[in-house]
Each structure stands twice: as structure tokens, then as C-alpha cells.
Amino acid sequence: MNHVFRKGTDDSKPTLVLFHGTGGNENDLLPLADLLSPGSSVLGVRGNVLENGMPRFFRRLSEGVFDEADLIFRTHETKQFLEKAAAQYGFDANHLVAVGYSNGANIAGSLLFHYKDVFQSAVLLHPMVPLRGLTLPSLDEVSVFIGAGTNDPICPPAETRELEELLQEAGATVTMHWGNQGHRLSMEEAEAARDWLSKR
């Protein structure tokens, strides 16, 4: 997978794994990473799927309707990539924090739905429920921050609350932050995620 790795200055901090939104790339969330955890190593990943020339992490059939078979395939593909990247760059694969926005939050969420120990924590910004009908792994030791919009036209509040409940039922500790900026990532939301992550 196309990616960028930036070695951090503080090895005690987790490595942030960045997952962009539709049409983004591996560099999009680097400024956010600098805000969330200064000194952390950062791995920015670009999705392997193109939709009308725009990178994504998995295919969709229409707005809000995921190609579930492709999502599952890409989830496993991304997990394998993270394992290879950890070996290549020497970061601790057991000390990772996912940071995903929109489509990127959905692939990060799908990784949590499939793998017990993939992330220590996750910052999911405007995510949807990636898949339904799964038995989730135990997420007892995982903390999740969800940034959501009360007026988000793509991720309605009911969808966000469903995701919160599914993660909590699997044992995750979930912190919600609600804003009113639609589907846009706001500075208030980013700063709330930073403050949350600083306490992990």
C-alpha cells in the first residue's frame, strides 16, 4: 500500500496510523497527527481502491452502502500491511493508535471489528457501522474516541450511537464528542481528540 512513515522523537509514545477520507492520500492527516500526539511516529496509509479517481480504502455500492465483500478483503489486506510495515520500520505493532476520518474511520472500525489486538486506541472521526451481524473480538483493553456531528448528513446520529453500542458491548471504552459541523472535521473536534489521547 502507498504510504509515508515518519519516525518520531519519543519512543514512549504510540505510533499513529492514519487513514484518510475519500479522495485523500497518505499525507492528508499528518497535520492532525502533529496536533494529536507530538513526538509520535506516524504511518500514513493510502487506500488501494479508486472511485472516480479518488482513493478509498474499500468499494461502496452507493453513498452509505458498502461493498461488504470488498470491505472484508481490504480489512485483511490492511492488517497484513501493518504487520509488514512494523517489521520494515521497527515500530511496536502492539502500541498503535488508529486515526481515521470518514472512509478511513470505517476501515479502522472494521479492523477493530475483526482483530482483537490491532489497535490500543482509535480516534474515529465521523465513522459509520462498518459491518453488521459480526461477533466482535474482545475489546476490553481498547479505548475509542468517536467524533460525530449532530447534523452529519452522511453519518446520522442513530448510526453513530449504534457503533458506540457495538463497541461497548465488545468491551471497549468509548468516548463520544458531538459537534454541529456536519461531516467536516473541526478544530474543536481535533482538540477534544488530542485531550482524550493525552490521557491514555
Side-chain angles (χ1 to χ4, degrees):
M1 301 180 76
N2 288 321
H3 65 280
V4 58
F5 179 76
R6 191 178 65 192
K7 174 68 176 172
T9 58
D10 186 347
D11 288 338
S12 70
K13 291 192 171 185
T15 296
L16 304 188
V17 184
L18 311 179
F19 299 100
H20 61 78
T22 299
N25 61 47
E26 62 272 27
N27 297 301
D28 272 18
L29 298 183
L30 291 176
L32 178 60
D34 292 337
L35 173 70
L36 292 178
S37 185
S40 280
S41 293
V42 178
L43 178 67
V45 187
R46 187 194 304 178
N48 269 349
V49 171
L50 289 178
E51 181 182 276
N52 298 321
M54 298 184 297
R56 282 178 54 86
F57 286 96
F58 57 89
R59 289 196 294 266
R60 59 183 169 183
L61 304 178
S62 61
E63 183 74 60
V65 181
F66 302 158
D67 182 332
E68 293 189 358
D70 189 63
L71 171 54
I72 293 168
F73 173 80
R74 300 297 175 181
T75 299
H76 297 318
E77 177 184 62
T78 304
K79 178 62 163 60
Q80 292 172 359
F81 166 74
L82 292 177
E83 293 170 354
K84 291 176 181 177
Q88 179 178 353
Y89 296 113
F91 59 79
D92 185 355
N94 296 312
H95 199 198
L96 301 181
V97 173
V99 180
Y101 166 65
S102 192
N103 178 244
N106 295 335
I107 193 71
S110 183
L111 283 158
L112 289 172
F113 273 36
H114 284 87
Y115 294 104
K116 180 178 185 294
D117 299 317
V118 62
F119 299 122
Q120 247 184 3
S121 303
V123 175
L124 305 181
L125 305 170
H126 301 268
M128 298 177 68
V129 176
L131 290 161
R132 292 176 171 86
L134 287 183
T135 299
L136 273 62
S138 171
L139 300 176
D140 288 348
E141 298 181 5
V142 178
S143 298
V144 180
F145 175 97
I146 296 179
T150 57
N151 57 346
D152 189 329
I154 297 175
C155 306
E159 176 104 7
T160 305
R161 293 190 187 99
E162 181 184 353
L163 176 61
E164 178 188 17
E165 290 172 4
L166 289 169
L167 291 169
Q168 287 175 333
E169 288 169 0
T173 301
V174 182
T175 298
M176 294 295 308
H177 175 83
W178 291 95
N180 61 352
Q181 302 295 315
H183 197 63
R184 186 175 68 85
L185 171 60
S186 69
M187 180 55 70
E188 178 188 6
E189 187 175 80
E191 290 175 345
R194 174 199 63 194
D195 296 344
W196 171 86
L197 189 58
S198 71
K199 299 171 185 174
R200 302 276 66 78

